[in-house]
Amino acid sequence: MPGEYEGNHLKLWTPATYRIEVEGVLEEVWAESLSGMRISTRKRADQSTVTTLTGLLRDQAELSGVLN
């Protein structure tokens, strides 16, 4: 099958844990709309805010939905 690798490599159709960082603040109310990903924010040294989304996604299609 195209995209399949030998060994323990990530496959497009298997679950994986993702960590996505975005500029700015994303409120916790978005967690349900983002496949239940955990949302946390932090300040950088320059005082800008970064939001981190962390969670298990079923496949690349679900990742694409979160990113869109």
Side-chain angles (χ1 to χ4, degrees):
M1 176 177 257
E4 187 170 356
Y5 297 100
E6 295 295 322
N8 294 326
H9 296 283
L10 182 66
K11 296 174 180 66
L12 299 177
W13 57 90
T14 60
T17 299
Y18 289 89
R19 182 172 161 241
I20 303 165
E21 290 192 352
V22 295
E23 295 281 338
V25 177
L26 187 62
E27 300 297 328
E28 287 283 333
V29 296
W30 283 95
E32 188 174 323
S33 298
L34 298 172
S35 298
M37 296 189 86
R38 186 172 55 98
I39 298 173
S40 60
T41 59
R42 65 178 169 82
K43 292 274 188 182
R44 291 184 177 152
D46 67 359
Q47 297 303 307
S48 62
T49 303
V50 175
T51 297
T52 303
L53 308 173
T54 308
L56 181 67
L57 299 176
R58 292 180 303 225
D59 53 28
Q60 291 287 307
E62 191 169 34
L63 172 61
S64 180
V66 168
L67 295 175
N68 286 330

